[in-house]
Amino acid sequence: MTADNSQRQAVAIAAYLAQFNFADPTIETTIDPRPGYADLPDEDHRQRHRDYLRAAHWAQSPALTDEDIQDLREMRRRYGFPS
């Protein structure tokens, strides 16, 4: 994965995770009385928020370290993005 490609991948993951980051887990809808986005457990919601912040940072970073790229690969696998 090249640095340029890594940043594009980080943008894709940040965009995907944004849907979880901006979902308010305390709001109940009239259609589904369960709170939150897809009724994620609190820890899963917090993990997605942390990952969103990391991916957004990588997307804007001028350079990614080898460790950043490895973490990005692991994040891609965690959320089912193809390798």
Side-chain angles (χ1 to χ4, degrees), residues 62-81:
L64 299 178
T65 66
D66 290 341
E67 185 178 331
D68 290 340
I69 292 171
Q70 181 59 36
D71 289 347
L72 178 57
R73 283 186 183 125
E74 290 173 15
M75 191 181 295
R76 288 174 51 78
R77 281 192 290 274
R78 181 170 39 251
Y79 295 110
F81 282 70

Side-chain angles (χ1 to χ4, degrees), residues 1-62:
M1 188 180 307
T2 65
D4 191 43
N5 187 35
S6 296
Q7 285 183 301
R8 283 194 295 271
Q9 298 300 325
V11 168
I13 290 176
Y16 167 75
L17 291 171
Q19 68 182 319
F20 302 101
N21 193 52
F22 296 112
D24 185 344
T26 63
I27 295 176
E28 292 186 8
T29 65
T30 56
I31 298 170
D32 187 350
R34 293 177 300 172
Y37 186 88
D39 201 30
L40 291 172
D42 288 343
E43 182 51 39
D44 288 351
H45 189 72
R46 285 189 291 274
Q47 180 65 50
R48 281 168 174 76
H49 176 71
R50 288 189 299 269
D51 288 345
Y52 166 75
L53 294 175
R54 290 179 71 201
H57 171 75
W58 291 330
Q60 297 176 39
S61 180

